Amino acid sequence: MLVIGEVHTGLLRGHHQATASLVDLVAGEPVRSFDRPRAHVRSPDRPVGVDCPLGAPTPARRVRGIGTVLQRAAITGGHVVQGTAWATVVPAGGGTRQPWPYYLARPGVIEAVGRARPSELAAALAATEHAPEALDLGAIAGRASDLVQAAVPPGDRSRERLRLPRTRLRFVVERGETTGPPVLTVHGDRSRILRAALPAGTEPRLLAAFAEDLALHDWLLTSVIGIVDRAAIGALPRDESLRRLRPAVDHLLHLWLPAGRGGELARQLWETLDRHAALSRQWSLLRDRIRDQFIVGAVAALSAMPR
């Protein structure tokens, strides 16, 4: 019925050369490492068992989810850490609970026990508020990110003075005969929800990869907006504004490369989403504004030099 998940994105506390060791979360399983189109390391998927309410559409129809969520962590460009939890939700074959080996044999699949329409269940899972006992994908994703941050040796935490927010992107994708474009909703500074309706044969792993890529670029945009705001261009002396803008140049601007993961599906979804959300145009405006400030600063410095 559904592909659901949540991605937490934040700045890695320090610059650690052996980033693959930081995401080595599963003993005996290799870490995936990529050099192109940019440096990226990713942990193996780790199944996490769940047995809890999925968020009932109405009190009269309780829906319980039993199965496993796939948890993983990744580092992009040596600077950005992400923790992800995702799963496919399918109807249960019957009303009785199976032994755990049955669910462990199907990693990343949650069986929904109870009567609920997919659209109602999707709306419940995409809601901004959940009951304390309901499925909490954010806690599972956040745990993966926290494990990576905790693995950074104290001597490598040279960027701790640069404070950037951790953002959360939850995605709920209905798979079936009815299709609809992806819609990204922003809730405050840190929470986003992505909803879409795609054909039934859409590969869940590609959807998770696209959600991670979208979360990365939304975090980049959010972080750079914050850096530009704190630079107070035109209000502070130019040297101070440039000092505050420099972290964006050193750590963030070179990481913008949308649809870098998830193949052709990611490219199509990004293009559709970007036409409405204008993420790329916002990024271009910010990048050019930062670049212009450094150009003006360089010209001013040259003009002040004795001839």
Side-chain angles (χ1 to χ4, degrees), residues 72-84:
R72 67 189 183 201
I75 298 174
T76 300
H79 299 299
V80 185
V81 60
Q82 291 184 292
T84 304

Side-chain angles (χ1 to χ4, degrees), residues 9 29 65 95 154 185 194 217 219 231 253 275 278 296:
T9 308
E29 294 290 334
T185 306
L194 172 70
H217 289 84
W219 178 85
L253 292 186
R275 280 198 296 269
V296 171

Side-chain angles (χ1 to χ4, degrees), residues 17-31:
Q17 295 298 324
T19 52
S21 65
L22 301 180
V23 297
D24 190 7
L25 305 182
V26 183
E29 294 290 334
V31 170

Side-chain angles (χ1 to χ4, degrees), residues 275-294:
R275 280 198 296 269
H276 300 280
L279 302 177
S280 294
R281 280 181 286 169
Q282 293 180 64
W283 181 262
S284 296
L285 289 171
L286 286 168
R287 181 198 60 204
D288 292 347
R289 191 179 187 195
I290 293 171
R291 184 177 296 165
D292 290 346
Q293 289 302 308
F294 278 95

Side-chain angles (χ1 to χ4, degrees), residues 219-229 248 252-253 283 286 290:
W219 178 85
L220 287 171
L221 186 59
T222 301
S223 297
V224 173
I225 288 174
I227 289 173
V228 170
D229 287 345
L252 305 180
L253 292 186
W283 181 262
L286 286 168
I290 293 171

Side-chain angles (χ1 to χ4, degrees), residues 97-109:
R97 189 185 186 284
Q98 302 296 322
W100 267 114
Y102 167 82
Y103 300 106
L104 293 175
R106 307 173 70 198
V109 176

Side-chain angles (χ1 to χ4, degrees), residues 23 64 86 114 119 163 178 191 241 270 284 288 294 304:
V23 297
R64 190 167 194 84
W86 68 278
S119 58
R163 301 291 183 181
T178 303
S191 180
S241 293
W270 173 266
S284 296
D288 292 347
F294 278 95

Side-chain angles (χ1 to χ4, degrees), residues 153-262:
D156 292 340
R157 297 179 183 179
S158 57
R159 284 201 304 261
E160 289 203 16
R161 288 179 296 176
L162 176 59
R163 301 291 183 181
L164 295 176
R166 177 190 289 190
T167 58
R168 306 184 302 271
L169 183 142
R170 187 183 314 149
F171 58 96
V172 179
V173 180
E174 299 178 57
R175 297 191 303 163
E177 296 179 357
T178 303
T179 61
V183 176
L184 180 67
T185 306
V186 177
H187 298 273
D189 293 336
R190 303 191 179 190
S191 180
R192 289 89 173 91
I193 295 176
L194 172 70
R195 295 196 62 179
L198 300 175
T202 305
E203 174 59 44
R205 291 184 180 274
L206 295 180
L207 291 174
F210 168 71
E212 289 171 328
D213 190 64
L214 175 61
L216 169 65
H217 289 84
D218 172 80
W219 178 85
L220 287 171
L221 186 59
T222 301
S223 297
V224 173
I225 288 174
I227 289 173
V228 170
D229 287 345
R230 289 191 294 273
I233 298 171
L236 291 176
R238 190 173 305 279
D239 287 347
E240 176 61 19
S241 293
L242 294 179
R243 187 188 68 81
R244 298 186 182 194
L245 290 172
R246 184 168 179 175
V249 178
D250 291 343
H251 305 308
L252 305 180
L253 292 186
H254 65 287
L255 296 177
W256 188 266
L257 186 64
R261 298 197 299 271

